[in-house]
Each structure stands twice: as C-alpha cells, then as structure tokens.
Amino acid sequence: MIVRTNQVSLALAALFACSLASGCNTGKSAPTPANFTQAINNHFLDHTDCLFSDIRFPFETGDPVKTKQMDSLAKALLLDKSYEAGVHVSRYTVAPAGTRFAPHFCYGHREVTSIDSFTPLAVNDGFKETTVTYTYTMKEVPVWAISPDVQAAFPDMARATSSQLTAKATLAQTAAGWQVPD
C-alpha cells in the first residue's frame, strides 16, 4: 500500500505541476473538440452570415442577376423598388420592414454540430494555432430568408439555411481559451 500511495502522490504532484506550467494543455486551452466548438460558436454569435458586405442604399442596378436578387427582397417587403426609365436601372430603398436587416441583410449565425478534424498545433505570431474543419447549421434564420423567391435568388444562402455545411476556421490558443482571430 505504501508504494501505491506514493505513486498516487507523485501522479497528483505531476498533474499539479503540469497545471501550473504554461505549456500544459488543460481546461479551456486544451485542443479538444469541445473547446473548439465553444470558440467557434462564440465567434459566430457576433459574426452573422449576411447577403451583402459592400452595398449601400439607395442601390441602383441594371444587372439582371442583381435585379433578380433585389426584386426577391422587394417581394419579401424588405425593399421598395422604383424604375428609372431614362437610365434603364432599378432603384432600391429600404422598406420599413427591412430596416432591421439593412444594409447587410444578415440571415443567421452558424452553430457547430461537429468538429471533423484539426491540424497539429503550430506557432504563429507567438500563439499556438490550429485549423479546424467543422460542420454547422444556421440558427436564428429570419422568415424572409426561407422564402422560395429569396432562396432562388441567393442559392448560397439557401444552401446554408437548409442543410448542414462544412467549413474551416483558424483558432488561436490564448490564456482564456481558444479564439478565432479577427
């Protein structure tokens, strides 16, 4: 029994020393699927997926693809449309129902359903990093984003809101846990 007590004491001492060491991977900073899931989900709570990143309203276009997209948002009552006959362009302004979503028209945030793989840790800019491949679904999708017209006009959004997709994210290990660097 004395040998076992000494072995347990040594194991506990080693574990305690490891937890004090800066390179020990325990807790929130351990490279585990649960920690990666939490980091990615936290990131996407503040980084929603959107239809547009660079459009300002009022918006004018004569492009048939853009016109189809904007018309679908007008049909969903998010935009108002007028036609400028002299220059052959459609002009779109934000309708009252669209003010909550304009100008980017975000359609939800990602939620990780599984961590599929991750690369070995490598140091970059002083932080340990890994690239994580994950599967996700969209959460908090607004009603307009699932309308058939909007989904037909924005096939990437339709795919993202109606099925599970796979993506990659680079995560950095910090003292507070894993984070997606901005």
Side-chain angles (χ1 to χ4, degrees), residues 40-178:
I40 296 168
N41 284 343
N42 286 343
H43 173 77
F44 282 112
L45 284 174
D46 294 330
H47 297 82
T48 54
D49 284 32
C50 304
L51 295 178
F52 310 118
S53 62
D54 58 354
I55 287 184
R56 301 182 103 176
F57 291 94
F59 178 75
E60 295 180 350
T61 186
D63 178 323
V65 172
K66 285 283 185 202
T67 299
K68 178 183 176 186
Q69 291 176 334
M70 295 300 170
D71 283 352
S72 73
L73 296 174
K75 188 172 182 180
L77 305 177
L78 301 175
L79 297 177
D80 290 323
K81 177 185 178 180
S82 61
Y83 185 71
E84 306 283 336
V87 289
H88 306 289
V89 297
S90 295
R91 179 183 170 106
Y92 299 91
T93 56
V94 178
T99 56
R100 178 176 169 207
F101 303 101
H104 302 293
F105 290 92
C106 298
Y107 54 86
H109 66 86
R110 298 176 186 195
E111 185 173 275
V112 174
T113 57
S114 69
I115 299 296
D116 303 325
S117 65
F118 57 94
T119 60
L121 301 182
V123 177
N124 185 18
D125 291 331
F127 292 96
K128 290 181 181 175
E129 290 186 347
T130 183
T131 300
V132 177
T133 302
Y134 63 96
T135 302
Y136 68 94
T137 59
M138 294 300 292
K139 295 297 181 183
E140 299 181 19
V141 177
V143 172
W144 61 263
I146 56 175
S147 77
D149 291 326
V150 174
Q151 290 206 344
F154 297 95
D156 290 341
M157 183 208 60
R159 199 170 21 266
T161 57
S162 63
S163 63
Q164 289 194 6
L165 296 177
T166 301
K168 290 184 178 189
T170 298
L171 299 179
Q173 187 184 45
T174 69
W178 290 93

